[in-house]
């Protein structure tokens, strides 16, 4: 009788390499990589890693390998600074500082929050300093809080900030996807790939994938194609 490759117990079929208990345990595994003080916990793919960290290992020799960037290094340090003063990025030029991580542009304050507390998902990262405006480009996590779009708008009005022309797509400070990402998501969905599988390939939830596919988000992209 064939035996399990993991525990040595008999398997339930000649073609099985693992018993059911070991197979369930394998499927329930999560990524063991610890990054920025937090265990990844993503769906296990191979060798104790999720697909993202496995690809980093294959491409760069380490699951923690990132493109070396002085601005990103500053935000990693800033996320854990022990100070109540504003922490201003050295590249601050009078406009809200942004960075690009993994091909995604987002505000420097949001990225600092992610390094300290993890991804806030659909919620906005708001300032408590400078009357809620964060006019100095502060990235001190102690001066940040989570809120929604309505609170963000209210903070802007209270601070008397000028409303700038609409910024959308990957140019938005909180954007997680690029134009190419959105087109690939829609292509995969049209090819019959499940939305859960698509979400596993991009830094967004299954619900966000559905909204992109249903044109509830990034609908303007189709308009540009039609008029381009």
């Amino acid at each position: 009788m064939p035996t399990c490759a993991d525990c040595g117990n008999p398997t339930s079929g000649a073609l099985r390499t693992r018993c059911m208990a070991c197979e369930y345990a394998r499927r329930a595994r999560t990524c063991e990589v610890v990054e920025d003080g937090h265990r990844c916990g993503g769906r296990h793919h191979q060798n104790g890693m999720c697909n993202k960290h496995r690809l980093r290992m294959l491409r760069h020799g380490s699951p923690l390998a990132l493109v070396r960037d002085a601005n990103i290094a500053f935000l990693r340090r800033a996320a854990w600074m022990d100070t109540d003063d504003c922490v201003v990025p050295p590249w601050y030029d009078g406009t809200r500082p942004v960075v690009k991580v993994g091909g995604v542009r987002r505000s420097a304050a949001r990225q600092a929050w992610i390094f300290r507390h993890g991804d806030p998902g659909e919620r906005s990262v708001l300032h408590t300093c400078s009357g809620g405006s964060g006019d100095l480009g502060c990235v001190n996590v102690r001066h940040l809080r989570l809120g929604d779009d309505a609170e963000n708008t209210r903070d802007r009005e209270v601070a008397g900030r000028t409303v700038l022309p609409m910024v959308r797509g990957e140019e938005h400070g909180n954007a997680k996807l690029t134009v190419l990402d959105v087109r690939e998501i829609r292509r995969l969905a049209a090819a019959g790939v499940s939305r859960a599988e698509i979400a596993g390939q991009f830094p967004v939830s299954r619900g966000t994938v559905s909204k992109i596919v249903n044109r509830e988000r990034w609908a303007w992209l189709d308009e540009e194609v039609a008029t381009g």
Side-chain angles (χ1 to χ4, degrees), residues 50-121:
C50 62
N51 194 48
K52 177 183 73 174
H53 287 114
R54 185 185 70 88
L55 289 177
R56 286 187 189 173
M57 173 64 78
L58 293 175
R59 292 170 180 169
H60 308 295
S62 169
L64 299 178
L66 294 172
V67 176
R68 295 191 177 277
D69 186 310
N71 294 349
I72 299 303
F74 174 85
L75 292 179
R76 287 181 183 275
R77 295 193 303 272
W80 297 93
M81 285 183 179
D82 185 18
T83 178
D84 289 324
D85 296 329
C86 282
V87 177
V88 182
W91 69 94
Y92 173 70
D93 60 1
T95 59
R96 190 65 62 85
V98 298
V99 291
K100 191 171 185 178
V101 180
V104 179
R105 283 172 57 90
R106 59 174 62 96
S107 71
R110 185 179 183 86
Q111 186 60 52
W113 180 279
I114 290 173
F115 283 147
R116 182 64 179 266
H117 299 297
D119 193 338

Side-chain angles (χ1 to χ4, degrees), residues 75 78-79 87 96 107-117 124-129 132-134 137-147:
L75 292 179
V87 177
R96 190 65 62 85
S107 71
R110 185 179 183 86
Q111 186 60 52
W113 180 279
I114 290 173
F115 283 147
R116 182 64 179 266
H117 299 297
S124 299
V125 174
L126 310 179
H127 286 83
T128 60
C129 56
S133 68
C138 177
V139 295
N140 186 345
V141 176
R142 295 185 180 184
H143 293 181
L144 303 176
R145 65 182 180 86
L146 295 182

Side-chain angles (χ1 to χ4, degrees), residues 18-212:
R18 294 183 180 87
C19 65
M20 294 303 296
C22 289
E23 182 64 23
Y24 287 140
R26 186 186 69 85
R27 294 180 182 180
R29 290 180 64 188
T30 58
C31 180
E32 301 169 2
V33 174
V34 177
E35 186 171 5
D36 296 320
H38 301 280
R39 176 169 170 164
C40 173
R43 183 177 180 182
H44 178 265
H45 184 80
Q46 188 177 358
N47 298 331
M49 294 176 282
C50 62
N51 194 48
K52 177 183 73 174
H53 287 114
R54 185 185 70 88
L55 289 177
R56 286 187 189 173
M57 173 64 78
L58 293 175
R59 292 170 180 169
H60 308 295
S62 169
L64 299 178
L66 294 172
V67 176
R68 295 191 177 277
D69 186 310
N71 294 349
I72 299 303
F74 174 85
L75 292 179
R76 287 181 183 275
R77 295 193 303 272
W80 297 93
M81 285 183 179
D82 185 18
T83 178
D84 289 324
D85 296 329
C86 282
V87 177
V88 182
W91 69 94
Y92 173 70
D93 60 1
T95 59
R96 190 65 62 85
V98 298
V99 291
K100 191 171 185 178
V101 180
V104 179
R105 283 172 57 90
R106 59 174 62 96
S107 71
R110 185 179 183 86
Q111 186 60 52
W113 180 279
I114 290 173
F115 283 147
R116 182 64 179 266
H117 299 297
D119 193 338
E122 302 299 322
R123 304 195 69 188
S124 299
V125 174
L126 310 179
H127 286 83
T128 60
C129 56
S130 302
S133 68
D135 281 339
L136 295 178
C138 177
V139 295
N140 186 345
V141 176
R142 295 185 180 184
H143 293 181
L144 303 176
R145 65 182 180 86
L146 295 182
D148 54 28
D149 290 341
E151 290 177 281
N152 194 17
T153 300
R154 185 167 60 251
D155 284 353
R156 183 175 64 237
E157 293 173 350
V158 171
R161 283 177 286 163
T162 302
V163 178
L164 300 175
M166 181 177 62
V167 177
R168 60 188 181 182
E170 60 195 82
E171 297 302 319
H172 193 284
N174 291 337
K176 294 183 178 182
L177 300 171
T178 65
V179 168
L180 292 179
D181 289 337
V182 172
R183 287 175 176 160
E184 179 64 7
I185 285 172
R186 289 174 177 167
R187 186 192 71 78
L188 291 171
V193 180
S194 75
R195 295 177 187 186
E197 290 181 275
I198 296 174
Q201 300 179 40
F202 296 90
V204 293
S205 66
R206 182 170 57 182
T208 298
V209 170
S210 293
K211 290 180 180 179
I212 290 172

